[in-house]
mmCIF file of all heavy atoms in Angstrom:
data_model
loop_
_atom_site.group_PDB
_atom_site.id
_atom_site.type_symbol
_atom_site.label_atom_id
_atom_site.label_comp_id
_atom_site.label_asym_id
_atom_site.label_seq_id
_atom_site.Cartn_x
_atom_site.Cartn_y
_atom_site.Cartn_z
ATOM 1 N N ILE S 30 2.315 11.451 1.166
ATOM 2 C CA ILE S 30 2.448 12.400 2.276
ATOM 3 C C ILE S 30 2.592 13.760 1.701
ATOM 4 O O ILE S 30 3.723 14.023 1.061
ATOM 5 C CB ILE S 30 3.501 12.067 3.285
ATOM 6 C CG1 ILE S 30 3.315 10.700 3.872
ATOM 7 C CG2 ILE S 30 3.662 13.159 4.306
ATOM 8 C CD1 ILE S 30 4.360 10.220 4.695
ATOM 9 N N THR S 31 1.652 14.696 1.867
ATOM 10 C CA THR S 31 1.856 15.993 1.205
ATOM 11 C C THR S 31 2.309 17.056 2.287
ATOM 12 O O THR S 31 2.880 17.999 1.944
ATOM 13 C CB THR S 31 0.477 16.467 0.625
ATOM 14 O OG1 THR S 31 -0.591 16.487 1.656
ATOM 15 C CG2 THR S 31 0.054 15.552 -0.466
ATOM 16 N N GLN S 32 1.947 16.898 3.550
ATOM 17 C CA GLN S 32 2.311 17.806 4.577
ATOM 18 C C GLN S 32 2.230 17.230 5.906
ATOM 19 O O GLN S 32 1.407 16.217 6.085
ATOM 20 C CB GLN S 32 1.492 19.064 4.528
ATOM 21 C CG GLN S 32 0.054 18.888 4.850
ATOM 22 C CD GLN S 32 -0.817 20.067 4.750
ATOM 23 O OE1 GLN S 32 -0.562 20.937 3.792
ATOM 24 N NE2 GLN S 32 -1.714 20.241 5.623
ATOM 25 N N ASP S 33 2.922 17.668 6.864
ATOM 26 C CA ASP S 33 2.668 17.190 8.273
ATOM 27 C C ASP S 33 1.940 18.344 8.922
ATOM 28 O O ASP S 33 2.044 19.438 8.747
ATOM 29 C CB ASP S 33 4.020 16.820 9.000
ATOM 30 C CG ASP S 33 4.782 18.086 9.331
ATOM 31 O OD1 ASP S 33 5.553 18.554 8.368
ATOM 32 O OD2 ASP S 33 4.667 18.676 10.319
ATOM 33 N N ALA S 34 1.104 17.931 9.905
ATOM 34 C CA ALA S 34 0.277 18.932 10.561
ATOM 35 C C ALA S 34 0.564 18.980 12.033
ATOM 36 O O ALA S 34 -0.220 19.057 12.893
ATOM 37 C CB ALA S 34 -1.220 18.489 10.331
ATOM 38 N N SER S 35 1.898 18.916 12.317
ATOM 39 C CA SER S 35 2.289 18.914 13.741
ATOM 40 C C SER S 35 2.692 20.220 14.269
ATOM 41 O O SER S 35 2.226 20.704 15.256
ATOM 42 C CB SER S 35 3.348 17.857 13.964
ATOM 43 O OG SER S 35 4.441 18.124 13.137
ATOM 44 N N ALA S 36 3.677 20.944 13.509
ATOM 45 C CA ALA S 36 4.241 22.215 13.940
ATOM 46 C C ALA S 36 4.638 21.940 15.375
ATOM 47 O O ALA S 36 4.203 22.620 16.360
ATOM 48 C CB ALA S 36 3.193 23.287 13.828
ATOM 49 N N SER S 37 5.717 21.140 15.473
ATOM 50 C CA SER S 37 6.193 20.632 16.895
ATOM 51 C C SER S 37 6.488 21.883 17.854
ATOM 52 O O SER S 37 6.218 21.666 19.019
ATOM 53 C CB SER S 37 7.366 19.787 16.704
ATOM 54 O OG SER S 37 8.433 20.376 16.105
ATOM 55 N N ALA S 38 7.064 22.910 17.472
ATOM 56 C CA ALA S 38 7.481 24.002 18.342
ATOM 57 C C ALA S 38 6.144 24.600 18.904
ATOM 58 O O ALA S 38 6.125 24.935 20.158
ATOM 59 C CB ALA S 38 8.261 25.030 17.617
ATOM 60 N N TYR S 39 5.148 24.781 18.094
ATOM 61 C CA TYR S 39 3.911 25.262 18.648
ATOM 62 C C TYR S 39 3.281 24.222 19.454
ATOM 63 O O TYR S 39 2.496 24.600 20.433
ATOM 64 C CB TYR S 39 2.925 25.684 17.413
ATOM 65 C CG TYR S 39 3.317 27.013 16.817
ATOM 66 C CD1 TYR S 39 4.045 26.988 15.510
ATOM 67 C CD2 TYR S 39 2.924 28.189 17.404
ATOM 68 C CE1 TYR S 39 4.382 28.263 14.964
ATOM 69 C CE2 TYR S 39 3.274 29.470 16.817
ATOM 70 C CZ TYR S 39 3.938 29.369 15.566
ATOM 71 O OH TYR S 39 4.272 30.681 15.028
ATOM 72 N N GLN S 40 3.311 23.034 19.125
ATOM 73 C CA GLN S 40 2.845 21.939 20.037
ATOM 74 C C GLN S 40 3.393 21.917 21.480
ATOM 75 O O GLN S 40 2.684 22.008 22.358
ATOM 76 C CB GLN S 40 3.120 20.539 19.415
ATOM 77 C CG GLN S 40 2.132 20.062 18.369
ATOM 78 C CD GLN S 40 2.496 18.584 17.981
ATOM 79 O OE1 GLN S 40 3.556 18.191 18.083
ATOM 80 N NE2 GLN S 40 1.451 17.970 17.389
ATOM 81 N N ILE S 41 4.734 22.085 21.449
ATOM 82 C CA ILE S 41 5.421 22.055 22.739
ATOM 83 C C ILE S 41 5.103 23.250 23.586
ATOM 84 O O ILE S 41 4.854 23.139 24.848
ATOM 85 C CB ILE S 41 6.913 21.889 22.539
ATOM 86 C CG1 ILE S 41 7.270 20.562 21.921
ATOM 87 C CG2 ILE S 41 7.765 22.186 23.910
ATOM 88 C CD1 ILE S 41 8.716 20.476 21.475
ATOM 89 N N MET S 42 4.997 24.496 22.924
ATOM 90 C CA MET S 42 4.590 25.591 23.643
ATOM 91 C C MET S 42 3.138 25.604 24.188
ATOM 92 O O MET S 42 2.855 26.003 25.273
ATOM 93 C CB MET S 42 4.793 26.804 22.793
ATOM 94 C CG MET S 42 6.246 27.279 22.605
ATOM 95 S SD MET S 42 6.431 28.924 21.925
ATOM 96 C CE MET S 42 5.927 28.694 20.237
ATOM 97 N N SER S 43 2.258 24.955 23.426
ATOM 98 C CA SER S 43 0.897 24.822 23.895
ATOM 99 C C SER S 43 0.840 23.968 25.087
ATOM 100 O O SER S 43 -0.024 24.144 25.983
ATOM 101 C CB SER S 43 0.013 24.179 22.742
ATOM 102 O OG SER S 43 0.285 22.818 22.422
ATOM 103 N N TYR S 44 1.694 23.036 25.152
ATOM 104 C CA TYR S 44 1.816 22.068 26.259
ATOM 105 C C TYR S 44 2.210 22.821 27.593
ATOM 106 O O TYR S 44 1.522 22.763 28.609
ATOM 107 C CB TYR S 44 2.755 20.901 26.047
ATOM 108 C CG TYR S 44 3.070 20.083 27.193
ATOM 109 C CD1 TYR S 44 2.203 19.014 27.462
ATOM 110 C CD2 TYR S 44 4.292 20.184 27.861
ATOM 111 C CE1 TYR S 44 2.503 18.272 28.727
ATOM 112 C CE2 TYR S 44 4.585 19.366 28.897
ATOM 113 C CZ TYR S 44 3.694 18.475 29.368
ATOM 114 O OH TYR S 44 3.949 17.696 30.470
ATOM 115 N N PHE S 45 3.308 23.695 27.458
ATOM 116 C CA PHE S 45 3.827 24.343 28.514
ATOM 117 C C PHE S 45 2.900 25.424 29.036
ATOM 118 O O PHE S 45 2.738 25.795 30.158
ATOM 119 C CB PHE S 45 5.244 24.939 28.208
ATOM 120 C CG PHE S 45 6.355 23.995 28.354
ATOM 121 C CD1 PHE S 45 6.897 23.396 27.291
ATOM 122 C CD2 PHE S 45 6.768 23.684 29.593
ATOM 123 C CE1 PHE S 45 7.864 22.480 27.357
ATOM 124 C CE2 PHE S 45 7.868 22.671 29.715
ATOM 125 C CZ PHE S 45 8.435 22.090 28.546
ATOM 126 N N LEU S 46 2.192 26.089 28.072
ATOM 127 C CA LEU S 46 1.223 27.110 28.273
ATOM 128 C C LEU S 46 -0.159 26.676 28.605
ATOM 129 O O LEU S 46 -1.016 27.582 28.929
ATOM 130 C CB LEU S 46 1.300 28.163 27.200
ATOM 131 C CG LEU S 46 2.676 28.823 26.911
ATOM 132 C CD1 LEU S 46 2.633 29.659 25.640
ATOM 133 C CD2 LEU S 46 3.001 29.842 28.046
ATOM 134 N N LEU S 47 -0.416 25.406 28.620
ATOM 135 C CA LEU S 47 -1.766 24.924 28.698
ATOM 136 C C LEU S 47 -2.784 25.499 27.798
ATOM 137 O O LEU S 47 -3.869 25.922 28.178
ATOM 138 C CB LEU S 47 -2.180 25.076 30.171
ATOM 139 C CG LEU S 47 -1.319 24.414 31.224
ATOM 140 C CD1 LEU S 47 -1.901 24.616 32.623
ATOM 141 C CD2 LEU S 47 -1.157 22.862 30.877
ATOM 142 N N ASP S 48 -2.341 25.955 26.599
ATOM 143 C CA ASP S 48 -3.088 26.486 25.584
ATOM 144 C C ASP S 48 -3.939 25.400 24.695
ATOM 145 O O ASP S 48 -3.388 24.841 23.784
ATOM 146 C CB ASP S 48 -2.199 27.339 24.654
ATOM 147 C CG ASP S 48 -3.053 28.216 23.671
ATOM 148 O OD1 ASP S 48 -4.220 27.816 23.316
ATOM 149 O OD2 ASP S 48 -2.489 29.236 23.318
ATOM 150 N N GLU S 49 -5.149 25.266 25.131
ATOM 151 C CA GLU S 49 -5.934 24.222 24.586
ATOM 152 C C GLU S 49 -6.248 24.522 23.048
ATOM 153 O O GLU S 49 -6.271 23.459 22.297
ATOM 154 C CB GLU S 49 -7.319 23.968 25.359
ATOM 155 C CG GLU S 49 -8.102 22.854 24.876
ATOM 156 C CD GLU S 49 -9.395 22.594 25.756
ATOM 157 O OE1 GLU S 49 -9.361 22.942 26.883
ATOM 158 O OE2 GLU S 49 -10.255 21.843 25.300
#
Side-chain angles (χ1 to χ4, degrees):
I30 300 174
T31 58
Q32 65 182 39
D33 70 274
S35 56
S37 57
Y39 283 102
Q40 275 186 336
I41 293 170
M42 284 195 289
S43 71
Y44 170 80
F45 279 103
L46 296 169
L47 302 179
D48 188 330
E49 187 170 341

